[in-house]
Amino acid sequence: MPRVRASEGTLTTAGAATDFSKQAEIEKIAQQVGNAPATLRLLEIVRSQPQPLRLYHASSSEIFGNACEVPQPENTPLHPTSPYGCAKAFATQLAQVYRQSYGLFVCNGILYNHESPRRGENFVTRKIARAAARIARNLETELVLGNIESQRDWGRAQDYVQAMWLMLQHHTADDYVVATGESHSVREFVEAAFAVVGLPWQKYVKHDSAFDRPTEPAQLVGCADKIRKILGWKPRGTFRELVREMVETELDAIDSDRSDE
C-alpha cells in the first residue's frame, strides 16, 4: 500500500521504481498487489470529506513503458512493460476519472527517476554510489550490475518535491510530467561515480544477468514543457553534480563511522 502523508488539506501518495534485480522486481510486484486498490480507497476517502482536499498522486514514467515517442509529454499513450508500470498506469487513470467525474482536486505527478543520497540501497543509483565509495575506502572489491546500457532520465529528488508542491498550489488540478529531458545510461552513472573517487570503473564493475530486467522500457525521457510553462518549474543542478553529491555523502558516512571507532 502506498505511504500517505497529510498536511494542511493535502494528501500525497508515494511510490517509486527500484533496482533492476530480480529480487527488486519481486518486491515491487508484492507492493503493487495492493497499490491500485489502495489508491481507489484513498480517492473515495477524499471524495467523502465534507471539506474539499487536494490530493497529489505519485505516478511514474514507467506508465509509458515502450513509449511511441521521445521525449514523452503528458498525452503519450500508456504502454507499461512491468507490473509496477501497469499498477501505476491504472492508479493514474483512476485519479483522472475522479478528477473529471467527481471534481476532485487530484494531480498526477508523472515523475521520471529522481535521486538523492537518501535513496534506498536496493536502487541502482544508490548501489553504485555506495559501492564506489566503499571500494575507494578498501571496504569492497567489486560492483555487480545488470545491463549498464539501460538509460534513464535522472533528476534531483529535491527539485521534484518542489514540483509536487507547486502542483498543489495551482488553482486547477492537472497532470504534469516532471523530468530533466536528458537521458543517461547506467554506464554513465558508473563512470561519473568512480570519477569522483579517481578509480577506473572497468576494474571493479562486473555483470550478472540476474540483475537484468525481463523487459527493458524504451527510451524514457520526459518532456517537462507543460510544468515549466504553467507552474514555472525547472530542474536545478546537473547530472554529474547529482552523482557527486551521492558519492560524497557515502564517503562522508564511511569517514564519520571510522572517526567514531
Side-chain angles (χ1 to χ4, degrees):
M1 181 172 180
R3 298 186 301 278
V4 180
R5 304 187 184 97
S7 175
E8 298 180 356
T10 67
L11 290 174
T12 301
T13 63
T18 53
D19 191 5
F20 304 152
S21 70
K22 284 186 172 64
Q23 179 60 36
E25 190 69 21
I26 291 171
E27 292 173 1
K28 284 191 295 183
I29 293 171
Q31 179 190 27
Q32 261 61 73
V33 168
N35 189 27
T39 301
L40 175 60
R41 290 195 294 271
L42 182 58
L43 287 164
E44 276 297 316
I45 291 170
V46 171
R47 188 164 78 95
S48 68
Q49 299 307 300
Q51 303 233 341
L53 294 175
R54 296 192 171 198
L55 173 69
Y56 170 82
H57 174 250
S59 185
S60 166
S61 60
E62 294 275 332
I63 66 176
F64 298 136
N66 281 331
C68 61
E69 58 186 330
V70 179
Q72 296 90 40
E74 289 76 8
N75 60 359
T76 298
L78 309 187
H79 194 176
T81 60
S82 67
Y84 179 86
C86 289
K88 281 296 181 183
F90 180 43
T92 298
Q93 291 174 316
L94 277 175
Q96 292 169 343
V97 166
Y98 272 72
R99 182 173 66 224
Q100 296 161 5
S101 299
Y102 302 116
L104 265 61
F105 191 109
V106 53
C107 299
N108 281 309
I110 307 171
L111 272 58
Y112 283 63
N113 293 62
H114 39 292
E115 315 300 324
S116 86
R118 297 185 178 184
R119 262 300 196 195
E121 292 179 13
N122 60 324
F123 288 76
V124 69
T125 48
R126 175 74 187 282
K127 180 179 178 179
I128 294 168
R130 187 171 186 271
R134 291 180 65 80
I135 290 171
R137 293 294 188 262
N138 298 313
L139 296 174
E140 291 183 8
T141 58
E142 66 178 23
L143 167 61
V144 182
L145 296 171
N147 178 18
I148 64 173
E149 303 308 327
S150 297
Q151 297 194 356
R152 292 292 183 273
D153 183 332
W154 277 303
R156 297 171 67 247
Q158 302 96 310
D159 298 339
Y160 288 39
V161 171
Q162 182 195 34
M164 300 175 196
W165 183 84
L166 287 171
M167 292 178 209
L168 293 173
Q169 311 315 305
H170 198 53
H171 54 83
T172 55
D174 208 340
D175 301 335
Y176 297 93
V177 164
V178 183
T180 68
E182 297 180 4
S183 179
H184 296 277
S185 66
V186 175
R187 179 191 294 272
E188 290 178 80
F189 202 103
V190 170
E191 291 173 346
F194 278 82
V196 174
V197 294
L199 293 175
W201 68 271
Q202 299 91 336
K203 181 179 178 180
Y204 303 100
V205 176
K206 312 296 181 184
H207 175 260
D208 185 340
S209 59
F211 289 89
D212 292 342
R213 291 181 66 159
T215 304
E216 188 65 31
Q219 187 177 6
L220 292 178
V221 183
C223 174
D225 289 350
K226 180 177 176 180
I227 193 170
R228 288 173 185 260
K229 180 179 179 181
I230 297 177
L231 303 183
W233 177 88
K234 63 180 180 180
R236 295 181 173 83
T238 66
F239 170 74
R240 289 193 171 272
E241 288 171 346
L242 167 63
V243 179
R244 175 172 290 278
E245 178 187 12
M246 293 183 70
V247 175
E248 289 182 343
T249 299
E250 298 292 342
L251 290 169
D252 289 344
I254 293 170
D255 295 341
S256 176
D257 289 343
R258 284 180 170 177
S259 65
D260 292 339
E261 291 177 356

